Amino acid sequence: MLEKRPISKKRILLVEDDPSVLSMVKWLLQGQYEIITNETGANVAEQASEHRVHLILLDIRLPQADGLEICKALRETPSTESLPILIFSGNTEADARVAAFLGGADDFIAKPFLPAELVARIESKLHRMEKGWGINPDQQASPTRKIQPVTGIETDPSRYEIIVNGNSKRLSVLEFKLLGYFLDHPERVIPREELLEKIWPETKVIARTVDAHLVAIRKALKESEYTIKGIYGAGYMLTRKEP
């Protein structure tokens, strides 16, 4: 008779210094997930790598570090660059949301938040990771490079890079996803609402979040014959540059 192996829980790193939020989130999640905590913001990338976490909940204001800077550092670290990052913040202004997404966050949760909403967003991000929108730390990823036939733009999913004329350009996870959608639909006008629905399906983001991410993508495409052009009143299109 074969012995059943215990099913391991997915691991979440909770970076939060507020005792009340810390205890509430732990109580809410610990039955379904293994919760690792960090109350200062120090050595987050190292801790995430050591425990091979599947997702990070990150507060903006921390005693020893700025949450946005931590988020950016996580995106620049190979072992954590593809992990889902959900940012907590008491600042609900539009600029705070844009800054979070530009810093590499996958989602933005305003305090105070509904427990059911937090659980739903976590489940959604982990489900998308299992479907191939990120690297599962419990599996050996083996993505391969591919060349988009119309544009000739080469992408490397393992490093979130595009290769143009032999030169590689690193993008954030969200920028890579966004560019990937354009590469799947070259020479087609894509409404902003469609991009928000496809790239941020469970996240409430403001419209200009798309424009902010396109700045970095256009810069990465500088040496390419193609760029993403804004079509007034209609949306955006990946198209050949005008001579």
Side-chain angles (χ1 to χ4, degrees), residues 82-97:
S82 63
L83 286 177
I85 300 174
L86 282 68
I87 280 188
F88 290 135
S89 178
N91 186 348
T92 60
E93 297 294 328
D95 288 345
R97 292 178 178 271

Side-chain angles (χ1 to χ4, degrees), residues 12-130:
I12 294 177
L13 176 57
L14 172 58
V15 187
E16 171 64 66
D17 68 316
D18 186 325
S20 61
V21 176
L22 195 67
S23 60
M24 186 272 283
V25 175
K26 287 178 64 178
W27 174 83
L28 186 66
L29 301 177
Q30 63 187 0
Q32 187 174 357
Y33 304 101
E34 179 182 344
I35 307 300
I36 298 99
T37 60
N38 182 319
E39 300 180 36
T40 65
N43 304 315
V44 174
E46 292 84 350
Q47 190 176 17
S49 300
E50 178 185 352
H51 292 278
R52 298 178 62 80
V53 302
H54 299 79
L55 180 143
I56 298 174
L57 296 174
L58 176 62
D59 188 25
I60 286 288
R61 295 186 177 181
L62 296 160
Q64 296 187 20
D66 175 81
L68 288 179
E69 293 304 316
I70 293 174
C71 189
K72 293 176 184 177
L74 290 167
R75 290 300 181 225
E76 294 173 356
T77 303
S79 61
T80 60
E81 64 182 356
S82 63
L83 286 177
I85 300 174
L86 282 68
I87 280 188
F88 290 135
S89 178
N91 186 348
T92 60
E93 297 294 328
D95 288 345
R97 292 178 178 271
V98 171
F101 287 117
L102 287 178
D106 293 284
D107 207 343
F108 182 98
I109 304 175
K111 296 180 180 179
F113 50 82
L114 295 174
E117 180 185 9
L118 175 63
V119 172
R121 293 192 182 207
I122 289 173
E123 290 178 349
S124 172
K125 296 300 179 293
L126 291 175
H127 177 71
R128 295 176 77 198
M129 180 180 69
E130 290 177 345

